[in-house]
Amino acid sequence: MPRHSQLTKMATLMNPKWNGQFSCFDLVAKTDANKRTRTLVQVRDIEIGGSDFVVMAGPCAVESEDQLLRTAEAVAAAGARMLRGGAYKPRSSPYAFQGLGVEGLKLLRKAREATGLAIVTEVMSEEDVELIAEYADVMQVGTRSMENYALLEKLGGCGRPVLLKRGMTATLEELLRSAQVIAMAGNPQIILCERGIRTFETATRNTLDIAAVPVLKTVSHLPVIVDPSHAAGIRCLVPALARAAAVVGADGLLVEVHPHPEAALSDGNQSLNFGEFREMMDDLQPYLEIQQAARQFRPRLVAVGGTD
Ligand code: PEP
Ligand code: MN
């Protein structure tokens, strides 16, 4: 019988299906050969995957200088460390706003200069990787691109950390395989993002798979963040899902915020206004304390069932 590491045993205890499947994502998994317990993703002066809970916030799409700069200032004042805004938008309808392109990237750079926030923005095509890497601190791969292997491979050499969103119909194993493609292509700085998956439920835009966080944190050494905005699809649910993410041990959040959500060119229904975002951040504090305590307890709790 093969000798499993304690980490493999932990995963086995969670679900036998995970046993022995690490070979297809060994660079991003906790395995015998790869004993790292966590990867710290360094973005300017921010460390993701360490002791800080890092909130990335901003509009779904960069729409104008005024909209972006006001949002950047508001989210920074409320405690966000990174500004997230799309300049190239993957939209389900070809008639919807597709983003400002390079103009949007320039505005993101301006917002970073004004506030010091690091920039996260989406890249949809391998052809845009070099250009976007000149402006972005973190390259976001959206749910629709998780299996775009040409893009993933190109991101292996982009010199920037990658925020990899889970495909809306992808299993966690498939997510980890995509992370492996980026790591194999030379870039180990990857942040995984649970953003809700498609299920039969229609009350929310997607179903937040909250179990994805502890599963991914057990089998992988990569940081894991949660996007409650795209999971909920409805603004009023975002704070509750954010709190859930904090207590299950996520390393941070990605939250959509807009000065006037009702007038947003995309994803207004799920965007918080400035006051709502501030309130969400304040309300998160006690939950973050629980998370810190949970982090300290986790190894012992796992070991109770995981070792003999
Ligand atoms: C977004 O982050 O605005 C976005 C389009 O997200 P997703 O790829 O998760 O749908
Ligand atoms: Mn969006």
Side-chain angles (χ1 to χ4, degrees):
M1 221 178 85
R3 227 182 122 255
H4 296 305
S5 71
Q6 185 179 334
L7 293 164
T8 309
K9 272 190 208 161
M10 278 150 49
T12 307
L13 283 168
M14 260 189 330
N15 183 342
K17 279 186 69 179
W18 282 83
N19 185 19
Q21 293 196 3
F22 298 141
S23 56
C24 55
F25 50 82
D26 61 323
L27 292 180
V28 299
K30 292 173 176 168
T31 61
D32 281 340
N34 183 356
K35 289 194 190 304
R36 266 188 305 167
T37 52
R38 57 168 67 176
T39 285
L40 298 177
V41 172
Q42 189 73 39
V43 182
R44 298 167 82 84
D45 63 335
I46 307 159
E47 212 168 58
I48 303 158
S51 53
D52 289 347
F53 187 77
V54 178
V55 177
M56 314 172 187
C60 179
V62 178
E63 297 170 6
S64 70
E65 179 166 342
D66 179 68
Q67 172 242 21
L68 189 67
L69 290 182
R70 285 177 56 209
T71 307
E73 275 157 21
V75 299
R81 309 283 309 278
M82 302 175 68
L83 177 66
R84 206 302 305 251
Y88 295 80
K89 294 304 302 176
R91 305 304 304 281
S92 299
S93 162
Y95 299 107
F97 177 57
Q98 307 290 316
L100 295 181
V102 185
E103 278 315 303
L105 295 177
K106 290 183 179 157
L107 293 176
L108 286 164
R109 177 181 275 172
K110 201 163 186 176
R112 178 173 57 209
E113 282 161 8
T115 60
L117 291 171
I119 299 300
V120 190
T121 197
E122 178 157 355
V123 54
M124 289 163 56
S125 156
E126 72 269 25
E127 287 162 16
D128 297 331
V129 167
E130 276 168 32
L131 173 72
I132 295 178
E134 280 176 32
Y135 293 86
D137 297 298
V138 174
M139 312 284 278
Q140 175 178 322
V141 175
T143 194
R144 295 161 187 82
S145 303
M146 192 205 82
E147 290 182 321
N148 179 344
Y149 296 109
L151 173 62
L152 301 180
E153 279 172 19
K154 184 83 188 204
L155 286 167
C158 75
R160 297 269 181 263
V162 176
L163 193 167
L164 179 63
K165 287 188 137 191
R166 180 182 184 178
M168 63 182 90
T169 58
T171 64
L172 295 177
E173 187 189 336
E174 288 161 345
L175 171 65
L176 289 167
R177 286 183 194 217
S178 288
Q180 172 88 4
V181 173
I182 301 169
M184 277 182 81
N187 188 353
Q189 292 275 288
I190 303 163
I191 305 158
L192 302 172
C193 179
E194 163 60 36
R195 48 79 71 201
I197 50 175
R198 194 164 270 182
T199 69
F200 51 81
E201 182 54 68
T202 54
T204 49
R205 183 176 179 186
N206 292 283
T207 297
L208 179 63
D209 179 8
I210 200 72
V213 178
V215 170
L216 290 171
K217 297 220 44 117
T218 301
V219 299
S220 171
H221 51 77
L222 297 177
V224 180
I225 67 164
V226 167
D227 169 353
S229 306
H230 290 84
I234 318 164
R235 163 176 334 127
C236 63
L237 292 178
V238 170
L241 300 189
R243 292 194 290 270
V247 291
V248 294
D251 294 295
L253 297 173
L254 192 161
V255 181
E256 288 192 333
V257 178
H258 193 284
H260 302 291
E262 56 293 340
L265 294 182
S266 63
D267 287 348
N269 287 345
Q270 67 197 33
S271 299
L272 304 180
N273 65 30
F274 297 164
E276 289 163 342
F277 180 69
R278 210 167 35 237
E279 209 169 294
M280 184 203 84
M281 294 291 277
D282 288 347
D283 291 349
L284 265 180
Q285 284 315 312
Y287 296 86
L288 293 174
E289 283 156 28
I290 296 173
Q291 191 230 36
Q292 286 299 334
R295 271 180 192 276
Q296 285 158 25
F297 282 123
R298 188 191 298 127
R300 213 183 69 210
L301 288 177
V302 171
V304 168
T307 56
D308 30 56

